[in-house]
Amino acid sequence: MKITLTVNFHVLHCEGADSLESQIKNFALLGYDELEIISCFMTKGFEYSCMKKRVLALKKLFRKITFTKPFLHAHFIGNFIISGKKRINDFASFLISEYILDFSTKYLFVGHGLKDSKNREYHALEKRIQQYGFTNVKIALLQGEGSEIDKISFDNDEVKKIILIPLLINLGKHAQNDILGDKDSLASDLEKRGFSVERQFSCLGMNQRFKKEYLNE
């Protein structure tokens, strides 16, 4: 018998009877021998790796364990996408239709990113959005390549207002403190550079279409 478990940020950090390990062990006790993990993460970053390691530590309980790929997973050679291009293109279309209102307002999406990484998935996503004509949209990151806030620039920099949107599934500490916070945040750094920042206290997990199409809720 096969059972499916959706693992997101909240499941990853649950404790006690609701912990990831407890849920998996319970499935085995109920007689399931095949486990499918639906991973709700943007890229193969720290949390995805941690989740996979914890699940595979219990692999002896099952005949087979499979994992779905993160939303933006793609395979690159250099900066060229070998596989996963459709996944990135579809997500670019989703962001445009759900968040972008016009071609003149500045929009800055901010993802987490990976330390010591080129973060190619995010850069490919930004490139695809701009190929649709939205050069007023940028993607910045908290870690790794793309996290240099002083390098963020727009074609029309005399317009000093930026709409700042977390590109995160959960509105946790990274979104509220590191991106949108009043002190020591990306938003405050932009304000020091002279930008007027409109903070959007939202996340992908609050978007009904995202939940339906990407989280299967």
Side-chain angles (χ1 to χ4, degrees):
M1 292 193 300
K2 179 179 178 179
I3 186 69
T4 297
L5 176 62
T6 298
V7 180
N8 54 27
F9 176 85
H10 295 298
V11 172
L12 199 60
H13 293 278
C14 282
E15 298 179 351
D18 294 325
S19 71
L20 178 62
E21 287 80 4
S22 294
Q23 292 187 60
I24 292 174
K25 290 176 182 178
N26 189 50
F27 291 148
L29 289 174
L30 291 172
Y32 293 100
D33 64 350
E34 185 175 343
L35 175 64
E36 179 187 37
I37 299 294
I38 298 178
S39 53
C40 298
F41 301 98
M42 298 297 292
T43 62
K44 288 187 175 181
F46 172 78
E47 290 181 335
Y48 177 87
S49 299
C50 177
M51 175 273 294
K52 194 168 184 179
K53 182 178 180 180
R54 288 168 62 182
V55 171
L56 290 177
L58 300 172
K59 64 181 180 180
K60 291 183 179 180
L61 298 177
F62 298 90
R63 177 179 58 83
K64 183 180 180 181
I65 297 179
T66 57
F67 299 85
T68 62
K69 296 176 181 178
F71 305 130
L72 292 182
H73 176 70
H75 179 60
F76 293 82
I77 293 182
N79 290 322
F80 295 97
I81 301 177
I82 304 303
S83 64
K85 186 174 182 179
K86 184 179 185 302
R87 186 187 299 263
I88 288 176
N89 290 349
D90 288 347
F91 203 75
S93 297
F94 164 80
L95 290 179
I96 290 170
S97 62
E98 291 295 309
Y99 294 95
I100 309 304
L101 300 178
D102 56 56
F103 288 93
S104 58
T105 304
K106 298 179 188 294
Y107 296 90
L108 182 61
F109 289 96
V110 185
H112 189 281
L114 303 178
K115 189 177 181 181
D116 301 323
S117 170
K118 292 186 179 297
N119 292 311
R120 291 183 177 94
E121 296 94 339
Y122 290 102
H123 301 315
L125 179 64
E126 179 187 83
K127 182 178 179 180
R128 188 57 181 150
I129 291 173
Q130 294 185 356
Q131 285 174 340
Y132 283 126
F134 294 92
T135 57
N136 55 316
V137 177
K138 297 282 187 178
I139 294 177
L141 300 169
L142 294 175
Q143 294 187 3
E145 188 173 304
S147 61
E148 304 89 351
I149 186 63
D150 59 311
K151 293 183 180 179
I152 296 173
S153 62
F154 291 85
D155 290 344
N156 185 20
D157 259 352
E158 65 267 17
V159 178
K160 286 295 186 179
K161 181 179 179 180
I162 290 180
I163 296 178
L164 190 61
I165 308 169
L167 190 59
L168 301 171
I169 299 172
N170 299 285
L171 194 65
K173 65 177 183 179
H174 287 309
Q176 297 187 59
N177 299 334
D178 301 333
I179 298 174
L180 304 169
D182 293 326
K183 288 181 60 179
D184 301 322
S185 67
L186 191 147
S188 63
D189 286 343
L190 287 169
E191 288 171 338
K192 290 174 184 176
R193 288 182 58 191
F195 288 101
S196 170
V197 179
E198 179 182 319
R199 295 164 167 84
Q200 284 202 4
F201 283 87
S202 62
C203 62
L204 292 168
M206 296 165 65
N207 182 284
Q208 293 303 312
R209 181 180 162 197
F210 179 85
K211 291 169 68 176
K212 181 179 179 180
E213 295 183 10
Y214 292 91
L215 298 186
N216 299 312
E217 292 187 4

